[in-house]
mmCIF file of all heavy atoms in Angstrom:
data_model
loop_
_atom_site.group_PDB
_atom_site.id
_atom_site.type_symbol
_atom_site.label_atom_id
_atom_site.label_comp_id
_atom_site.label_asym_id
_atom_site.label_seq_id
_atom_site.Cartn_x
_atom_site.Cartn_y
_atom_site.Cartn_z
ATOM 1 N N CYS A 44 27.912 83.787 137.673
ATOM 2 C CA CYS A 44 28.938 83.244 138.569
ATOM 3 C C CYS A 44 28.850 81.728 138.671
ATOM 4 O O CYS A 44 29.859 81.064 138.888
ATOM 5 C CB CYS A 44 28.801 83.851 139.961
ATOM 6 S SG CYS A 44 29.242 85.591 140.038
ATOM 7 N N THR A 45 27.673 81.174 138.505
ATOM 8 C CA THR A 45 27.527 79.725 138.623
ATOM 9 C C THR A 45 28.220 78.991 137.485
ATOM 10 O O THR A 45 28.497 77.805 137.607
ATOM 11 C CB THR A 45 26.043 79.305 138.649
ATOM 12 O OG1 THR A 45 25.429 79.703 137.418
ATOM 13 C CG2 THR A 45 25.318 79.926 139.821
ATOM 14 N N LEU A 46 28.508 79.674 136.387
ATOM 15 C CA LEU A 46 29.160 79.039 135.242
ATOM 16 C C LEU A 46 30.671 78.889 135.417
ATOM 17 O O LEU A 46 31.309 78.165 134.663
ATOM 18 C CB LEU A 46 28.890 79.845 133.966
ATOM 19 C CG LEU A 46 27.414 80.003 133.580
ATOM 20 C CD1 LEU A 46 27.271 80.916 132.391
ATOM 21 C CD2 LEU A 46 26.801 78.647 133.314
ATOM 22 N N ILE A 47 31.244 79.555 136.406
ATOM 23 C CA ILE A 47 32.687 79.507 136.633
ATOM 24 C C ILE A 47 33.022 78.210 137.340
ATOM 25 O O ILE A 47 32.430 77.873 138.359
ATOM 26 C CB ILE A 47 33.143 80.724 137.460
ATOM 27 C CG1 ILE A 47 32.808 82.021 136.704
ATOM 28 C CG2 ILE A 47 34.632 80.639 137.760
ATOM 29 C CD1 ILE A 47 33.060 83.273 137.502
ATOM 30 N N GLU A 48 33.988 77.449 136.781
ATOM 31 C CA GLU A 48 34.323 76.136 137.326
ATOM 32 C C GLU A 48 35.346 76.204 138.457
ATOM 33 O O GLU A 48 35.303 75.395 139.367
ATOM 34 C CB GLU A 48 34.840 75.218 136.214
ATOM 35 C CG GLU A 48 33.738 74.862 135.241
ATOM 36 C CD GLU A 48 34.178 73.810 134.246
ATOM 37 O OE1 GLU A 48 35.101 73.055 134.558
ATOM 38 O OE2 GLU A 48 33.575 73.763 133.176
ATOM 39 N N ASN A 49 36.248 77.160 138.429
ATOM 40 C CA ASN A 49 37.259 77.289 139.476
ATOM 41 C C ASN A 49 36.585 77.800 140.744
ATOM 42 O O ASN A 49 35.933 78.840 140.739
ATOM 43 C CB ASN A 49 38.349 78.257 139.020
ATOM 44 C CG ASN A 49 39.488 78.340 140.002
ATOM 45 O OD1 ASN A 49 39.308 78.282 141.201
ATOM 46 N ND2 ASN A 49 40.684 78.505 139.460
ATOM 47 N N ASP A 50 36.752 77.071 141.855
ATOM 48 C CA ASP A 50 36.076 77.415 143.105
ATOM 49 C C ASP A 50 36.446 78.804 143.599
ATOM 50 O O ASP A 50 35.578 79.585 143.997
ATOM 51 C CB ASP A 50 36.416 76.393 144.199
ATOM 52 C CG ASP A 50 35.856 75.022 143.896
ATOM 53 O OD1 ASP A 50 34.881 74.948 143.114
ATOM 54 O OD2 ASP A 50 36.384 74.039 144.429
ATOM 55 N N PHE A 51 37.727 79.143 143.569
ATOM 56 C CA PHE A 51 38.174 80.433 144.076
ATOM 57 C C PHE A 51 37.622 81.583 143.233
ATOM 58 O O PHE A 51 37.118 82.566 143.765
ATOM 59 C CB PHE A 51 39.704 80.488 144.113
ATOM 60 C CG PHE A 51 40.235 81.790 144.631
ATOM 61 C CD1 PHE A 51 40.138 82.097 145.975
ATOM 62 C CD2 PHE A 51 40.819 82.700 143.769
ATOM 63 C CE1 PHE A 51 40.617 83.297 146.451
ATOM 64 C CE2 PHE A 51 41.299 83.902 144.242
ATOM 65 C CZ PHE A 51 41.204 84.207 145.589
ATOM 66 N N LYS A 52 37.689 81.440 141.905
ATOM 67 C CA LYS A 52 37.194 82.499 141.030
ATOM 68 C C LYS A 52 35.683 82.651 141.163
ATOM 69 O O LYS A 52 35.157 83.763 141.103
ATOM 70 C CB LYS A 52 37.576 82.206 139.582
ATOM 71 C CG LYS A 52 39.055 82.371 139.324
ATOM 72 C CD LYS A 52 39.408 82.102 137.888
ATOM 73 C CE LYS A 52 40.905 82.244 137.662
ATOM 74 N NZ LYS A 52 41.277 81.935 136.287
ATOM 75 N N ARG A 53 34.972 81.517 141.345
ATOM 76 C CA ARG A 53 33.524 81.588 141.527
ATOM 77 C C ARG A 53 33.183 82.324 142.825
ATOM 78 O O ARG A 53 32.293 83.169 142.865
ATOM 79 C CB ARG A 53 32.919 80.181 141.536
ATOM 80 C CG ARG A 53 31.414 80.167 141.610
ATOM 81 C CD ARG A 53 30.811 78.784 141.473
ATOM 82 N NE ARG A 53 31.391 77.798 142.365
ATOM 83 C CZ ARG A 53 32.154 76.782 141.981
ATOM 84 N NH1 ARG A 53 32.417 76.601 140.702
ATOM 85 N NH2 ARG A 53 32.634 75.935 142.862
ATOM 86 N N LEU A 54 33.917 82.070 143.898
ATOM 87 C CA LEU A 54 33.690 82.755 145.158
ATOM 88 C C LEU A 54 33.972 84.243 145.024
ATOM 89 O O LEU A 54 33.215 85.075 145.542
ATOM 90 C CB LEU A 54 34.569 82.149 146.250
ATOM 91 C CG LEU A 54 34.452 82.777 147.629
ATOM 92 C CD1 LEU A 54 33.033 82.623 148.165
ATOM 93 C CD2 LEU A 54 35.443 82.147 148.576
ATOM 94 N N MET A 55 35.045 84.582 144.313
ATOM 95 C CA MET A 55 35.350 86.005 144.096
ATOM 96 C C MET A 55 34.240 86.681 143.305
ATOM 97 O O MET A 55 33.888 87.827 143.571
ATOM 98 C CB MET A 55 36.694 86.145 143.364
ATOM 99 C CG MET A 55 37.893 85.732 144.196
ATOM 100 S SD MET A 55 38.102 86.698 145.690
ATOM 101 C CE MET A 55 38.417 88.296 144.991
ATOM 102 N N CYS A 56 33.678 85.958 142.343
ATOM 103 C CA CYS A 56 32.581 86.495 141.550
ATOM 104 C C CYS A 56 31.369 86.773 142.444
ATOM 105 O O CYS A 56 30.755 87.838 142.378
ATOM 106 C CB CYS A 56 32.216 85.523 140.430
ATOM 107 S SG CYS A 56 30.883 86.088 139.363
ATOM 108 N N TYR A 57 31.027 85.815 143.303
ATOM 109 C CA TYR A 57 29.908 86.011 144.226
ATOM 110 C C TYR A 57 30.162 87.201 145.153
ATOM 111 O O TYR A 57 29.270 88.008 145.411
ATOM 112 C CB TYR A 57 29.666 84.759 145.071
ATOM 113 C CG TYR A 57 29.002 83.628 144.339
ATOM 114 C CD1 TYR A 57 29.499 82.335 144.431
ATOM 115 C CD2 TYR A 57 27.870 83.831 143.562
ATOM 116 C CE1 TYR A 57 28.897 81.279 143.772
ATOM 117 C CE2 TYR A 57 27.261 82.788 142.895
ATOM 118 C CZ TYR A 57 27.767 81.514 143.009
ATOM 119 O OH TYR A 57 27.164 80.485 142.350
ATOM 120 N N GLN A 70 35.530 86.694 134.471
ATOM 121 C CA GLN A 70 34.861 86.056 135.592
ATOM 122 C C GLN A 70 33.501 85.519 135.189
ATOM 123 O O GLN A 70 33.066 84.495 135.669
ATOM 124 C CB GLN A 70 34.676 87.043 136.737
ATOM 125 C CG GLN A 70 35.944 87.374 137.463
ATOM 126 C CD GLN A 70 35.704 88.430 138.520
ATOM 127 O OE1 GLN A 70 34.773 89.220 138.428
ATOM 128 N NE2 GLN A 70 36.571 88.445 139.513
ATOM 129 N N LYS A 93 51.739 69.883 136.573
ATOM 130 C CA LYS A 93 50.923 69.496 137.718
ATOM 131 C C LYS A 93 50.911 67.991 137.888
ATOM 132 O O LYS A 93 50.997 67.493 139.001
ATOM 133 C CB LYS A 93 49.492 70.000 137.544
ATOM 134 C CG LYS A 93 49.352 71.484 137.744
ATOM 135 C CD LYS A 93 47.938 71.917 137.520
ATOM 136 C CE LYS A 93 47.809 73.413 137.661
ATOM 137 N NZ LYS A 93 46.452 73.865 137.459
ATOM 138 N N GLU A 109 44.522 70.184 141.667
ATOM 139 C CA GLU A 109 43.306 70.003 140.887
ATOM 140 C C GLU A 109 43.164 68.566 140.396
ATOM 141 O O GLU A 109 42.068 68.108 140.158
ATOM 142 C CB GLU A 109 43.313 70.957 139.688
ATOM 143 C CG GLU A 109 43.285 72.404 140.099
ATOM 144 C CD GLU A 109 43.443 73.350 138.931
ATOM 145 O OE1 GLU A 109 43.524 72.877 137.785
ATOM 146 O OE2 GLU A 109 43.490 74.549 139.160
#
Side-chain angles (χ1 to χ4, degrees):
C44 291
T45 61
L46 300 175
I47 300 173
E48 292 188 24
N49 185 324
D50 294 337
F51 180 73
K52 289 181 181 178
R53 185 174 51 249
L54 179 62
M55 292 299 296
C56 181
Y57 285 133
Q70 287 176 335
K93 286 178 182 180
E109 296 174 3

